[in-house]
Amino acid sequence: MFRVLLVDDEPFIVQGLKVLIDWEEEGYEIVKTAANGMEALSYLKEQQVDLIVADIKMPVMSGLELLEVIRKEKISDAYFIILSGFSDFNFAQQAIRNDCFDYILKPVIKEELLRVLHRLNYQSQGSKTQKQNTQKMEKAYLARNMISLIFGKYDQINLDYIREHMRWSEGISYVDIEIDNIGQMEELMDEEKRNQQRKLYAACLEFLKEDGDHCIFDVTSHEKSYDIGFIYCDYMAKEKKQTQKEYLEAFRDYLYEAMNLPVVMLVGKKVGDISKISNSYGAARILRSFQAFRKKRRIYFYEKEVQVNNNGIVLCKQYLDDLLLAVEQNAKGRIGECVEKLFEEMNHMRFTMDTVNLNINYLLFQLIHLASEQDSYVNQEEIMRFISENSFEGEMLRGGKEHLTRLSCEYAAYLEQLRKHLSKDILYEVEKDIRKNYGKNLTLREYSNKYYLNSAYLGQLFRKKYGMSFKDYLNNCRIEQAAVRLLRTDDKIYQIAEEVGYHDLDYFVNRFISVKGCTPSKFRKGARH
């Protein structure tokens, strides 16, 4: 709704303009009337309007003088329409020079006023679209410069642009925000994961408001990761009279309510200047690997989880290598013995938490390296998630002997599966089962349990062979079967949807359109004519 200011020293003309047309129906609202330019100017200094309709000749300050002042002093960029009983073209020229939208002669004719308002509406829509496109481009350029800094691949131009266009303070941390529900996300199609990521990003912007440019979508776009990057600054918490922990907890709680899904934050170490943000980003990434060996939290702070101390750090390399060899050979009896010896050594040396962290982190990355040696296609990010997923959820502190023994045994079995190259036979069985039971509630997790494969690896095998996720493959199979039924039967569309596994008709129709390019009814009609 356009906000309108009418300015004329003759009250009956103002009243006549009010009733000449249905302003509201045309998308306009008269918010103020003024008797001269000076009165209008006082109002414009306090309030914003979208359109000013003013008489050209008034006492105290004329319409032309009002137009000139607000443009020169940048008081208002509202559209301006001049009303005048004079047909002298010189007045029109003077108005146009000051960015006047149009010039209407008195007495004002209804059709003429409507014509001008319709043209203004049309031009405004174009300007609005152009402004939105410009804002999108500016935001994308800002994000691109920020990503350069995050990855540590920047020059002075990137740095200067970021400093000029964003608000900063000391105490800066990179925060990785993601949905903390590995099992549920794993079962979603790529498109659905992307939608969840967009919802998470939108919720972040709603919370951050004017600080929304500190939130970055798709920082790790080259990976199969669906997280959001956030650059925290201490001023954000200080303005709310909170600590960093309180601010991030409130942020995380807001996201949980908005998403109705658990959300986790990984907070990198603090740096003093935005030019050092890549150090904080790297610390946040390290926290990903530590998650599996920590008591589960909603927010992980690098400074708390990784208390690094360069004095007295000892790596129990011999004991760790013995454990890794037992894992590689799938020697379950020796795995337990190696874990016991490792913890005995750490207890004997009275290791502090930073030393334990170092040893566990070494073990973690060596486990990932073992998987990569067996199959170069293994996605390290997925394996990290697998390790995190298979850690205990109870009261026992993660990283304990029982946990490490169990995890090592499961990982040993996983490596053995990689070596046996069972993927072809298993995928054949999975594909055959999908073709037979596509109408049932099939999940990747059920197949991974059935064939003793971890779900992360089975998902990778599926994508490698079929070029799509398990969920996408299942949906495509269902749509193909629905298409057959549409051609061969006269069943109702909702019946066919139910038969092939869809209990939501709208969702079925949308999936059908995405695969076949038309609605089910149009598909059936086109095939029969």
Side-chain angles (χ1 to χ4, degrees):
M1 190 73 71
F2 281 83
R3 291 167 53 85
V4 182
L5 168 62
L6 297 181
V7 190
D8 200 301
D9 61 324
E10 298 183 46
F12 72 91
I13 292 181
V14 172
Q15 189 60 35
L17 284 172
K18 283 185 175 182
V19 300
L20 184 61
I21 62 171
D22 188 337
W23 290 85
E24 187 173 339
E25 184 178 326
E26 299 299 329
Y28 295 83
E29 176 190 7
I30 298 174
V31 296
K32 176 69 175 175
T33 62
N36 58 65
M38 189 61 71
E39 184 181 335
L41 185 62
S42 298
Y43 179 79
L44 291 170
K45 288 180 179 179
E46 300 294 331
Q47 301 290 334
Q48 288 294 318
V49 300
D50 304 299
L51 171 62
I52 302 167
V53 182
D55 187 17
I56 198 169
K57 186 177 181 182
M58 294 179 291
V60 185
M61 178 182 282
S62 70
L64 284 178
E65 290 171 334
L66 172 64
L67 174 61
E68 186 174 356
V69 169
I70 66 171
R71 295 302 191 233
K72 281 187 177 180
E73 298 182 12
K74 298 182 179 179
I75 295 171
S76 175
D77 59 356
Y79 291 100
F80 206 103
I81 297 175
I82 284 288
L83 303 178
S84 176
F86 303 95
S87 58
D88 191 334
F89 185 65
N90 289 331
F91 287 111
Q93 284 183 316
Q94 188 176 346
I96 290 169
R97 279 198 299 271
N98 287 295
D99 193 23
C100 178
F101 181 75
D102 214 325
Y103 182 95
I104 302 177
L105 292 176
K106 290 182 178 180
V108 178
I109 301 171
K110 177 180 178 179
E111 288 73 18
E112 178 65 11
L113 178 58
L114 287 172
R115 180 190 65 78
V116 173
L117 294 181
H118 291 167
R119 188 164 64 85
L120 189 151
N121 256 328
Y122 179 78
Q123 180 167 316
S124 174
Q125 288 299 318
S127 299
K128 185 178 180 180
T129 301
Q130 184 177 4
K131 185 177 181 180
Q132 289 174 340
N133 289 337
T134 300
Q135 288 175 342
K136 285 181 181 178
M137 291 175 64
E138 289 174 348
K139 191 167 186 176
Y141 186 66
L142 186 67
R144 191 173 71 181
N145 279 277
M146 178 54 68
I147 288 173
S148 295
L149 265 69
I150 287 171
F151 289 142
K153 298 178 180 178
Y154 67 92
D155 55 24
Q156 194 61 40
I157 294 175
N158 301 126
L159 187 58
D160 289 345
Y161 187 86
I162 288 296
R163 283 177 170 161
E164 290 172 9
H165 290 82
M166 294 177 71
R167 184 182 175 190
W168 300 109
S169 70
E170 292 184 354
I172 302 171
S173 298
Y174 179 87
V175 182
D176 182 84
I177 305 173
E178 58 187 73
I179 296 172
D180 188 25
N181 194 325
I182 297 171
Q184 181 171 345
M185 288 293 285
E186 192 176 77
E187 297 296 340
L188 297 178
M189 294 183 297
D190 291 344
E191 180 183 349
E192 292 170 321
K193 291 178 184 177
R194 191 68 160 179
N195 287 337
Q196 291 282 22
Q197 184 186 19
R198 292 194 185 281
K199 287 180 183 178
L200 181 59
Y201 178 65
C204 289
L205 295 183
E206 288 171 5
F207 178 86
L208 293 170
K209 295 184 174 60
E210 65 273 10
D211 291 321
D213 53 4
H214 283 249
C215 192
I216 304 139
F217 185 80
D218 249 3
V219 174
T220 53
S221 58
H222 60 289
E223 301 175 7
K224 279 294 177 183
S225 180
Y226 295 89
D227 53 353
I228 303 297
F230 167 53
I231 312 300
Y232 164 86
C233 289
D234 274 346
Y235 78 80
M236 298 173 181
K238 287 179 181 177
E239 288 182 352
K240 293 181 180 290
K241 297 181 179 178
Q242 296 174 327
T243 63
Q244 180 191 29
K245 183 174 183 290
E246 291 170 338
Y247 177 87
L248 291 176
E249 284 178 343
F251 190 0
R252 186 264 170 200
D253 289 345
Y254 180 91
L255 296 177
Y256 173 77
E257 292 294 329
M259 297 292 295
N260 197 27
L261 285 171
V263 174
V264 66
M265 289 182 170
L266 307 171
V267 187
K269 66 180 180 181
K270 276 193 179 182
V271 294
D273 185 77
I274 188 58
S275 62
K276 306 295 183 184
I277 192 62
S278 62
N279 295 335
S280 184
Y281 171 75
R285 302 294 288 174
I286 289 173
L287 279 177
R288 276 177 173 267
S289 63
F290 285 167
Q291 276 180 276
F293 299 96
R294 296 290 185 274
K295 184 176 180 180
K296 192 163 187 178
R297 310 180 195 279
R298 298 183 301 179
I299 305 178
Y300 296 85
F301 291 89
Y302 182 84
E303 284 87 352
K304 183 176 181 180
E305 302 295 332
V306 188
Q307 299 174 8
V308 178
N309 182 347
N310 290 327
N311 297 321
I313 293 182
V314 178
L315 182 65
C316 303
K317 192 171 184 305
Q318 183 59 54
Y319 295 95
L320 289 168
D321 287 345
D322 289 345
L323 174 57
L324 287 166
L325 182 61
V327 169
E328 186 174 12
Q329 295 175 352
N330 196 14
K332 289 184 170 55
R334 282 205 299 118
I335 286 175
E337 294 174 5
C338 291
V339 170
E340 187 70 35
K341 289 181 179 179
L342 173 63
F343 274 80
E344 283 179 3
E345 178 66 12
M346 288 194 292
N347 289 332
H348 175 71
M349 298 294 292
R350 295 181 181 179
F351 283 177
T352 57
M353 183 56 71
D354 57 332
T355 305
V356 174
N357 286 340
L358 175 68
N359 281 267
I360 295 299
N361 198 41
Y362 172 84
L363 176 64
L364 170 69
F365 283 98
Q366 289 302 318
L367 287 175
I368 296 171
H369 180 66
L370 284 176
S372 300
E373 284 187 330
Q374 301 301 323
D375 188 338
S376 60
Y377 185 74
V378 167
N379 185 314
Q380 295 189 6
E381 188 75 18
E382 291 294 332
I383 300 307
M384 284 187 182
R385 290 180 179 274
F386 164 69
I387 292 172
S388 178
E389 177 186 355
N390 283 277
S391 56
F392 286 121
E393 301 292 341
E395 295 298 322
M396 180 169 37
L397 179 66
R398 294 179 170 198
K401 285 188 290 186
E402 295 86 350
H403 172 215
L404 190 55
T405 301
R406 171 186 159 184
L407 178 62
S408 298
C409 288
E410 290 181 353
Y411 206 82
Y414 165 64
L415 291 176
E416 186 176 18
Q417 292 161 5
L418 290 180
R419 283 191 292 270
K420 287 181 178 178
H421 301 290
L422 297 175
S423 60
K424 290 184 180 180
D425 291 338
I426 289 176
L427 289 181
Y428 172 76
E429 292 298 326
V430 172
E431 182 181 358
K432 187 169 68 172
D433 192 70
I434 290 174
R435 293 291 175 182
K436 181 180 178 181
N437 299 305
Y438 53 83
K440 297 180 181 179
N441 183 27
L442 305 178
T443 66
L444 190 64
R445 186 174 298 277
E446 289 175 354
Y447 285 119
S448 67
N449 292 334
K450 182 177 180 180
Y451 295 107
Y452 304 101
L453 278 173
N454 77 72
S455 53
Y457 183 59
L458 183 56
Q460 292 171 27
L461 293 177
F462 227 89
R463 186 179 294 278
K464 184 176 183 180
K465 179 174 180 180
Y466 300 107
M468 65 183 73
S469 69
F470 167 82
K471 192 68 177 290
D472 283 322
Y473 181 87
L474 174 60
N475 272 277
N476 286 349
C477 180
R478 287 171 169 172
I479 294 302
E480 291 301 329
Q481 293 300 323
V484 171
R485 282 169 169 72
L486 286 167
L487 298 179
R488 295 180 182 178
T489 73
D490 292 321
D491 291 347
K492 302 291 186 183
I493 291 175
Y494 76 87
Q495 293 175 317
I496 294 175
E498 288 278 349
E499 289 173 5
V500 300
Y502 295 98
H503 304 293
D504 185 328
L505 182 59
D506 289 337
Y507 183 72
F508 166 70
V509 172
N510 288 333
R511 293 307 310 165
F512 195 94
I513 292 172
S514 69
V515 175
K516 295 297 184 182
C518 64
T519 63
S521 57
K522 190 172 181 180
F523 178 84
R524 170 181 273 171
K525 185 178 179 181
R528 294 184 176 183
H529 289 83

